[in-house]
Amino acid sequence: MKIRYFPFLMALILTFPSLAYSIEKVRVLILPFEIFATQDRSQLRTEIPDVIGSHLEAAGAQIVSLPGEISVPDHIEGVEHIRKLGVLSTADHVIWGSLTWIGRNFSLDVRMLESISEKAPEIFYQEGEGPADLSLKLQELAREIGISIFRQERVVDVVVEGNRRIEADAIKRRIATRPGEIFSARTVSQDLKNIFGMGFFDDVRVEAEDKPDGKVIIFKVTEKPNIRVISFKGNRVFKDDEIRENLDIRTGSIFNLFHITRNIERIETIYKEKNYHNVKVDFEIDELEHNQVDLTFIIDEGDKMMIRSIVFEGNDTFSDRRLKRLMKTSEKSFFSWLTSAGDLKKEDLNQDVARLQAFYQNNGFIQARVGEPLIEYLDDHISVTIKIDEGPQFTVGTVDVKGDLILSREELMEKIQISEQEYYNREVVRNDVMALTDMYSDEGYAFADVAPIIDRNEEALTVDITYMIDKGAQVHFEKIIITGNTRTRDKVIRRELMVYEQDAYSGRLLKRSMRNLFRLDYFEDIRVDTQEGSTQDSMVLSIDVDEKPTGAFSFGGGYSSIENAFVMGSISQRNLFGRGQILELRGTLGGASTRYSLSFTEPWLFDIPLSAGIDLYDWKRDYDEYDKDARGGGVRFSYPVFDFTRVSIAYKYERAKIRNIADDASRTIKELAGTNIESSLMSSIRYDSRDRLFNPTQGQNHALTVEYSGIGGDIGFVKYTGELGVYIPLFWDTVGLIRTEGGYITELSGKLLPDYEKFYLGGIHSIRGFDWRDIFVPDEEGLKTGGHKYVQLNLEYIFPLVKKAGLMGVIFYDTGNVYGKDESIDLGRLRKSTGAGFRWYSPVGPIRIEYGYILDPTDREEKRGQWEFSMGAAF
């Protein structure tokens, strides 16, 4: 399908031959006008000719003046005199006239003659009312004179023909030629380009018909066909639908050669991403009736190409193997079908060059240069060559710190690590700069500038490093502005901040404040911006938050030999009324138990960090030997005492009824028959520096708890429990977790120690792979009872699967056991399990799906492992 563009311009030139050659400009002499008016309007004598002249100049005329030796006449003496003036000034046309003004009305009488013609002058006349109307009448007058001078014609109509699908009005919106305006070949030419620019037409022609009152301009268009079917040939790697998803043309689209070419590039791109670098794509069309075509992309996939060799040139110090380990790009291997080894991704390769450059500069090769990779596509594989110019290796010389020192030189030097390195290391220098900057910012110098000055000794191959410090002004927070919190109250945010208005700036405390806000888990994102205040030593801190849902509906479930199938659910609000208060209603329904609980927490009682809470619960439990119906409640308080450390104290009151005791139940259970009252006091201390509560990446979580029961009532015991947990950031955004806990309980003299207060293990929150409470201590009759002691260890390796989506994978190892009253803790009898799973902080809340596999099953354990899950939904 050919685009016939130049023939249109030729037709335009043939239709209007005056455009085929250049014409000299028409020369026009305009004489001063005579003014007849009762008031003094003499200024119009020259202003009227200037207005007419400017319009004629814009139309292409050249305005000339009388020769200097000829004076401008005050009165026109006759046509022959006028003609003579035109000849003397070499003008083609002479214009003169008069303005008559009576009251508010005026009339313009204008004449124009050709200087070298005997024709009588042409007469033009306009009249109007008031000064405002004079400008419009002069424009109309100039237009009429221009039509006469340039032999211009008016456009009486604009017509579009040949269009079927594209509406004429849509085409006319791209046409500048309008009925009633002077015909312009330049405008028509631009109209042709504009219509072609719509991309809907194969052919556009323009014709003109002469009418008594002007010209009719006709645009005749031939529409491009539309695509009826898009199909593919030769594709084996991708299905038709997979390719079609990457195209930006669809069935019914206008056939456009540019769009087809662009989509060929898209198809080739998706093949090259799969390492089919020799792919070739062409197209063919089948013309149909009704201006339609079928489009077929013809694909020659070629063979899959992978990287067979990565070659380094110029690496004398480090081996090829050492450098390859730094790269994400790798050579094809036996496991390439399973991994991405051998795949060529240019983005990864560019990053590899940056990694290699950084590696050399971090090992003393300051002048090292890593060239752009040379990629060769051979017959059946890819070869990558990377050229390296190592240069000499520089050792660390003298290290010093100068400038504005807020501490002694010795104290500052303790923060500097480069002096401990043998070879110059750019990364260590950067860390030193950050450490010094943070130190100064903690003292209020928010804009401190630390610049490392590198002095190379080419002969000795040493680098002297001097950190020059310009501390700047000591800055304080003039104002703290919080935005974006439509639900959370300002004071809930401000009480988590450790920086305050009018206090000195502190980078460390600002970072800690942001960590506190993230730990609230009220916000999707928190943006911090600092701006200069009203003075040079003041700063405005802006905190902009994006709130997220803090209400949650969660549910979970599982299966155990005790409960059979069970479900757990809760509904909670962690930011009640935007006050930071927590309200939660939880329920558990299973084959053996039903439990409901309601709790309320005020984290800042009396506007101080004193947390207070109330708990109420109703718990019905069917054990194998008895049933327990309990109702109770309690109050709790906690207060921060150190960084990340809180102490707490709580009181619990429970009234439990033990019924339906089996005949073969143990003596200790039968002693509980009837109603028992437990009144206990519990105190604890917890250190929690985790950066977030779900999927932490760093921090620690330790706790020690002591519970004393026996303040009245029938139940009496002392229970000690402790836990240690450390999250360790590892390589590639992975995290390691080491968590251990243990407990010990002893009975008070003259009181009862119920079995339900003893220790059991098993389930998603302790030893995975075992049923809930499936690790126990058999009593003297072999019946299932809880232990007086327990130990537990959990090791986890957490790694990102889809980082942006918050999907994490986990591999774990669990071990632990419970022990009877007279048993010592025997680490040789620990139960063990291992497994893996997924954790996802989804839009509907946190989800855990994990499978545990028992490593040391006993004869009574029929299965070696099981799936466990916990899910939640946010609102």
Side-chain angles (χ1 to χ4, degrees):
M1 297 185 182
K2 298 179 180 178
I3 298 177
R4 296 180 290 275
Y5 180 73
F6 289 105
F8 310 150
L9 298 182
M10 185 59 69
L12 188 63
I13 291 172
L14 293 175
T15 305
F16 311 105
S18 60
L19 299 175
Y21 53 88
S22 176
I23 302 177
E24 292 185 3
K25 288 189 175 182
V26 177
R27 297 168 63 83
V28 180
L29 171 64
I30 306 175
L31 298 175
F33 272 48
E34 293 183 282
I35 307 300
F36 304 102
T38 57
Q39 299 179 356
D40 181 16
R41 299 183 185 273
S42 59
Q43 76 277 5
L44 296 176
R45 176 177 169 82
T46 55
E47 288 181 0
I48 292 175
D50 290 342
V51 172
I52 296 174
S54 64
H55 283 284
L56 294 179
E57 278 186 324
Q62 180 179 352
I63 306 302
V64 300
S65 304
L66 288 170
E69 66 273 10
I70 301 175
S71 60
V72 178
D74 293 332
H75 301 284
I76 304 304
E77 299 177 358
V79 172
E80 291 305 322
H81 179 64
I82 297 299
R83 198 183 307 278
K84 181 179 179 181
L85 293 176
V87 173
L88 292 174
S89 60
T90 67
D92 298 311
H93 299 271
V94 182
I95 299 171
W96 76 99
S98 65
L99 169 68
T100 302
W101 201 300
I102 302 174
R104 288 187 53 82
N105 299 319
F106 66 83
S107 63
L108 283 164
D109 296 282
V110 182
R111 287 171 173 75
M112 182 181 70
L113 60 75
E114 296 183 21
S115 300
I116 58 174
S117 173
E118 298 296 328
K119 293 180 181 180
E122 290 186 63
I123 300 173
F124 305 91
Y125 178 81
Q126 292 285 345
E127 62 180 13
E129 180 182 356
D133 204 19
L134 179 60
S135 176
L136 297 175
K137 296 302 180 182
L138 284 173
Q139 292 181 33
E140 294 179 14
L141 185 65
R143 187 181 299 110
E144 292 178 7
I145 295 172
I147 291 173
S148 178
I149 290 176
F150 300 109
R151 301 294 187 265
Q152 293 174 323
E153 296 181 271
R154 293 183 183 275
V155 177
V156 296
D157 197 8
V158 177
V159 179
V160 176
E161 295 181 356
N163 55 306
R164 296 180 180 179
R165 296 189 307 274
I166 311 302
E167 295 182 357
D169 287 344
I171 300 173
K172 286 183 177 181
R173 282 196 290 270
R174 307 299 294 269
I175 297 173
T177 302
R178 297 283 186 269
E181 295 183 354
I182 302 302
F183 172 79
S184 169
R186 180 182 297 176
T187 304
V188 172
S189 175
Q190 185 61 45
D191 291 339
L192 283 173
K193 294 179 182 179
N194 292 343
I195 295 173
F196 270 113
M198 297 176 71
F200 300 141
F201 307 107
D202 265 338
D203 194 6
V204 180
R205 294 179 180 272
V206 62
E207 296 179 0
E209 292 183 2
D210 291 326
K211 298 291 184 181
D213 53 350
K215 287 184 178 294
V216 176
I217 307 302
I218 304 170
F219 293 92
K220 294 187 176 182
V221 300
T222 301
E223 293 180 341
K224 288 183 177 180
N226 67 319
I227 301 172
R228 190 189 70 164
V229 174
I230 301 174
S231 58
F232 307 91
K233 286 183 180 179
N235 53 306
R236 301 181 309 277
V237 176
F238 294 101
K239 296 180 180 178
D240 288 3
D241 289 342
E242 292 177 309
I243 301 176
R244 194 172 283 112
E245 288 175 357
N246 288 274
L247 304 182
D248 63 1
I249 55 173
R250 298 289 184 267
T251 299
S253 298
I254 300 296
F255 180 86
N256 185 302
L257 188 59
F258 172 76
H259 292 165
I260 301 301
T261 303
R262 184 174 64 201
N263 281 273
I264 285 177
E265 294 174 354
R266 290 188 171 207
I267 295 174
E268 291 178 343
T269 297
I270 64 173
Y271 270 91
K272 288 177 181 178
E273 289 175 351
K274 288 290 186 180
N275 290 298
Y276 288 84
H277 295 278
N278 289 329
V279 63
K280 292 184 174 124
V281 183
D282 202 348
F283 77 97
E284 62 181 20
I285 59 172
D286 184 13
E287 297 188 8
L288 308 172
E289 296 180 350
H290 308 298
N291 202 27
Q292 290 184 318
V293 296
D294 286 347
L295 171 63
T296 303
F297 288 100
I298 303 171
I299 303 171
D300 179 6
E301 295 179 333
D303 295 326
K304 186 173 184 179
M305 301 180 68
M306 304 189 75
I307 300 173
R308 183 178 296 175
S309 63
I310 299 176
V311 179
F312 299 96
E313 295 181 1
N315 55 314
D316 298 326
T317 305
F318 301 104
S319 66
D320 287 9
R321 183 177 181 182
R322 174 78 181 276
L323 298 180
K324 288 176 183 178
R325 287 204 302 266
L326 300 172
M327 300 174 61
K328 188 173 182 180
T329 305
S330 60
E331 296 167 334
K332 179 182 177 181
S333 68
F334 177 78
F335 297 100
S336 291
W337 61 274
L338 182 62
T339 67
S340 60
D343 288 351
L344 174 62
K345 295 180 181 179
K346 292 188 177 180
E347 298 83 0
D348 291 345
L349 194 56
N350 291 334
Q351 293 178 6
D352 289 337
V353 170
R355 291 189 187 98
L356 292 171
Q357 182 84 30
F359 173 74
Y360 269 95
Q361 295 198 354
N362 290 340
N363 284 275
F365 294 91
I366 300 176
Q367 301 173 350
R369 297 291 181 269
V370 180
E372 183 177 348
L374 174 62
I375 303 172
E376 295 181 275
Y377 299 98
L378 304 177
D379 292 337
D380 58 350
H381 69 278
I382 302 171
S383 174
V384 177
T385 302
I386 301 176
K387 294 184 177 182
I388 300 174
D389 180 8
E390 291 184 342
Q393 190 175 26
F394 288 79
T395 59
V396 176
T398 60
V399 180
D400 201 359
V401 55
K402 294 182 180 180
D404 299 327
L405 307 185
I406 59 174
L407 299 175
S408 68
R409 178 184 176 279
E410 290 72 20
E411 290 176 296
L412 292 175
M413 288 296 294
E414 290 179 0
K415 292 290 183 179
I416 295 175
Q417 302 298 317
I418 190 62
S419 56
E420 300 177 5
Q421 305 290 316
E422 180 181 0
Y423 296 105
Y424 174 82
N425 189 311
R426 186 180 63 177
E427 185 68 24
V428 174
V429 171
R430 184 183 296 113
N431 292 337
D432 287 344
V433 170
M434 294 177 60
L436 292 172
T437 302
D438 289 344
M439 179 183 294
Y440 273 71
S441 72
D442 289 341
E443 299 298 326
Y445 298 98
F447 305 113
D449 181 28
V450 180
I453 298 176
I454 310 299
D455 186 11
R456 290 181 292 189
N457 187 324
E458 302 287 349
E459 295 182 359
L461 295 182
T462 60
V463 176
D464 296 334
I465 305 165
T466 302
Y467 297 93
M468 293 297 299
I469 302 177
D470 178 8
K471 67 181 181 181
Q474 194 170 27
V475 178
H476 68 273
F477 289 109
E478 177 182 354
K479 189 184 300 182
I480 299 177
I481 301 173
I482 299 173
T483 58
N485 53 320
T486 57
R487 182 169 55 251
T488 306
R489 303 194 179 196
D490 264 25
K491 78 171 186 177
V492 173
I493 298 176
R494 289 182 183 274
R495 69 194 186 191
E496 298 296 331
L497 303 180
M498 302 190 71
V499 293
Y500 308 97
E501 294 177 347
Q502 306 308 317
D503 273 8
Y505 175 90
S506 171
R508 178 180 58 84
L509 294 180
L510 182 56
K511 291 177 183 177
R512 173 67 184 277
S513 300
M514 294 308 102
R515 186 167 183 169
N516 290 347
L517 290 179
F518 273 110
R519 279 173 55 86
L520 287 176
D521 203 25
Y522 298 165
F523 310 111
E524 195 73 43
D525 191 18
I526 303 172
R527 291 174 294 275
V528 178
D529 184 32
T530 55
Q531 300 174 350
E532 187 175 339
S534 57
T535 60
Q536 290 186 344
D537 64 345
S538 65
M539 174 186 292
V540 175
L541 173 64
S542 297
I543 300 175
D544 184 28
V545 299
D546 290 336
E547 293 183 308
K548 67 179 180 181
T550 53
F553 167 72
S554 65
F555 70 94
Y559 183 88
S560 75
S561 59
I562 299 175
E563 289 281 359
N564 294 321
F566 66 91
V567 295
M568 299 175 291
S570 70
I571 183 170
S572 66
Q573 174 55 258
R574 294 179 292 103
N575 188 13
L576 188 64
F577 306 125
R579 299 175 180 270
Q581 299 165 337
I582 303 170
L583 181 66
E584 181 180 34
L585 175 64
R586 179 182 296 272
T588 302
L589 301 174
S593 69
T594 301
R595 180 170 182 171
Y596 302 100
S597 63
L598 176 66
S599 65
F600 173 80
T601 303
E602 167 56 72
W604 281 66
L605 188 64
F606 309 127
D607 283 332
I608 60 174
L610 173 64
S611 173
I614 302 175
D615 302 291
L616 300 172
Y617 62 87
D618 185 309
W619 189 4
K620 293 180 174 61
R621 171 75 184 178
D622 298 336
Y623 293 91
D624 291 338
E625 299 85 3
Y626 62 95
D627 296 339
K628 174 190 174 187
D629 297 343
R631 289 183 178 178
V635 294
R636 47 191 161 78
F637 300 91
S638 71
Y639 192 84
V641 290
F642 305 110
D643 274 356
F644 307 111
T645 306
R646 300 183 74 94
V647 295
S648 62
I649 186 169
Y651 172 76
K652 181 181 77 170
Y653 179 87
E654 179 183 275
R655 188 181 184 88
K657 184 176 181 180
I658 306 300
R659 57 186 179 83
N660 296 334
I661 300 177
D663 294 337
D664 57 352
S666 65
R667 175 185 56 80
T668 57
I669 293 178
K670 290 180 179 180
E671 291 176 350
L672 297 173
T675 300
N676 299 280
I677 295 176
E678 179 179 342
S679 177
S680 64
L681 192 65
M682 181 173 62
S683 63
S684 66
I685 182 170
R686 177 176 293 275
Y687 175 88
D688 186 357
S689 63
R690 293 174 294 174
D691 56 350
R692 57 176 67 99
L693 299 181
F694 188 79
N695 282 344
T697 61
Q698 60 181 342
Q700 302 179 35
N701 183 28
H702 313 314
L704 178 64
T705 303
V706 179
E707 181 179 3
Y708 178 86
S709 177
I711 309 173
D714 310 292
I715 307 299
F717 60 86
V718 180
K719 182 189 290 187
Y720 307 89
T721 57
E723 64 174 299
L724 299 172
V726 181
Y727 291 86
I728 306 170
L730 302 175
F731 49 87
W732 298 334
D733 296 325
T734 61
V735 179
L737 167 63
I738 302 174
R739 181 174 178 270
T740 182
E741 54 178 272
Y744 172 76
I745 189 171
T746 181
E747 181 178 358
L748 293 181
S749 176
K751 300 285 186 178
L752 301 175
L753 174 59
D755 184 71
Y756 50 78
E757 289 289 355
K758 297 178 182 178
F759 301 117
Y760 290 85
L761 292 179
I764 194 170
H765 297 296
S766 59
I767 311 296
R768 286 157 283 195
F770 293 88
D771 287 333
W772 179 64
R773 292 167 62 97
D774 201 36
I775 299 177
F776 57 89
V777 175
D779 65 4
E780 60 274 8
E781 299 177 4
L783 300 176
K784 187 174 186 177
T785 62
H788 284 70
K789 315 175 189 70
Y790 86 100
V791 292
Q792 173 186 322
L793 173 67
N794 307 104
L795 301 177
E796 294 185 355
Y797 177 66
I798 306 166
F799 51 93
L801 294 175
V802 183
K803 186 176 180 180
K804 290 185 178 179
L807 178 62
M808 310 295 288
V810 59
I811 300 172
F812 61 82
Y813 171 81
D814 297 337
T815 184
N817 208 341
V818 296
Y819 303 91
K821 180 178 181 180
D822 298 325
E823 292 181 288
S824 60
I825 296 178
D826 183 2
L827 299 182
R829 291 172 47 203
L830 297 180
R831 304 302 308 274
K832 307 174 187 67
S833 71
T834 187
F838 306 95
R839 294 174 184 174
W840 181 31
Y841 206 132
S842 73
V844 295
I847 295 176
R848 288 179 61 183
I849 303 176
E850 297 170 14
Y851 182 84
Y853 182 80
I854 301 174
L855 295 175
D856 54 348
T858 62
D859 294 338
R860 69 176 182 82
E861 291 164 344
E862 298 178 357
K863 56 184 179 180
R864 297 288 299 269
Q866 65 180 9
W867 285 98
E868 297 181 85
F869 71 94
S870 174
M871 290 183 268
F875 64 91

